[in-house]
Amino acid sequence: VHTEMFSDGLVELADLGVVTNRYKNTWNGRVVTSFAVGTQRLYDFVDANPFVEFHPSDIVNDTREIRKIRNMIAVNSALEIDLTGQVVADSIGEMIYSGIGGQKGFVRGAQLSKHGRAILALPSTARNGAISRIVPTLKPGSGVVTTRGHVQYVATEYGVVDLSGQPIRRRAEMLASIAHPDFRGELLDSLSQRFYLRPSSR
């Protein structure tokens, strides 16, 4: 584990022996992180624990450090992603929701790592299924945290697609295929209007 934030879910994995870090070629045998946020159990776990090593974010999130880790699998999330693959992770329209964090460094670092992969995992909907997180276009004022040129894998509960090297039309089709079924129709309608897809492409 090499992560900006260390949280309770990772404590469970460490306690079960799932996470040992014995295969890491940098900081072997140790979790590397910048900060920990969670329950008292988490704080008790990291307190004076040599298994967990804290470093500043400018080291942990540095693409040059991340790329050194062989088989690096970076898992990030997003608030919204449009059909071209632009990723919004810190804002809802003009409203800032959170900080950018290390997403950009981890996405690029994992792609440069030997056998590494960058995954963006997000629920297909928000507001209890009322809105789709995969959208034809981003909300006005939204900030793009990860560009469509850097996106690799995108995963929802409806599947996983690899957008790397795909043309705009194809990546739009692929993203629509992993959207919630309730929204696929309108996404495909927008494809036929914006990307010149024939109606039969449904």
Side-chain angles (χ1 to χ4, degrees):
V1 172
H2 181 104
T3 179
E4 182 180 31
M5 182 180 76
F6 190 76
S7 58
D8 284 274
L10 295 172
V11 173
E12 187 75 20
L13 293 173
D15 282 345
L16 292 170
V18 176
V19 171
T20 65
N21 298 294
R22 67 180 180 271
Y23 296 118
K24 286 177 75 173
N25 55 299
T26 63
W27 290 292
N28 181 264
R30 287 161 290 169
V31 167
V32 170
T33 187
S34 287
F35 63 96
V37 177
T39 65
Q40 189 60 47
R41 179 189 179 197
L42 170 70
Y43 303 132
D44 291 342
F45 179 84
V46 301
D47 184 34
N49 186 348
F51 182 66
V52 183
E53 192 167 310
F54 288 85
H55 292 275
S57 293
D58 61 350
I59 293 176
V60 176
N61 297 354
D62 190 336
T63 300
R64 293 168 296 183
E65 294 296 331
I66 296 165
R67 72 180 297 178
K68 293 177 186 176
I69 304 169
R70 292 190 297 269
N71 301 303
M72 180 65 181
I73 308 300
V75 181
N76 288 279
S77 192
L79 296 171
E80 188 175 72
I81 181 167
D82 76 3
L83 288 175
T84 71
Q86 297 184 105
V87 177
V88 176
D90 72 335
S91 62
I92 301 173
E94 295 180 347
M95 184 186 76
I96 300 301
Y97 183 81
S98 67
I100 291 174
Q103 182 172 123
K104 178 174 168 288
F106 277 88
V107 166
R108 191 65 184 138
Q111 290 173 334
L112 294 171
S113 159
K114 185 175 183 180
H115 305 304
R117 293 180 289 284
I119 301 167
L120 283 158
L122 65 158
S124 63
T125 62
R127 296 183 188 169
N128 296 316
I131 61 173
S132 177
R133 289 180 183 262
I134 297 175
V135 295
T137 58
L138 301 179
K139 293 180 180 64
S142 295
V144 175
V145 171
T146 299
T147 73
R148 56 189 170 218
H150 288 100
V151 173
Q152 190 175 17
Y153 293 96
V154 179
T156 72
E157 66 271 35
Y158 293 100
V160 183
V161 293
D162 181 1
L163 301 184
S164 51
Q166 297 293 341
I168 294 293
R169 183 190 303 186
R170 178 61 184 143
R171 62 175 48 209
E173 293 175 317
M174 294 168 76
L175 285 167
S177 76
I178 60 169
H180 191 284
D182 289 350
F183 296 97
R184 285 180 196 163
E186 62 188 73
L187 288 170
L188 290 169
D189 284 343
S190 76
L191 293 188
S192 62
Q193 296 165 21
R194 297 175 57 237
F195 299 105
Y196 310 104
L197 299 185
R198 296 186 299 276
S200 61
S201 65
R202 286 196 184 192

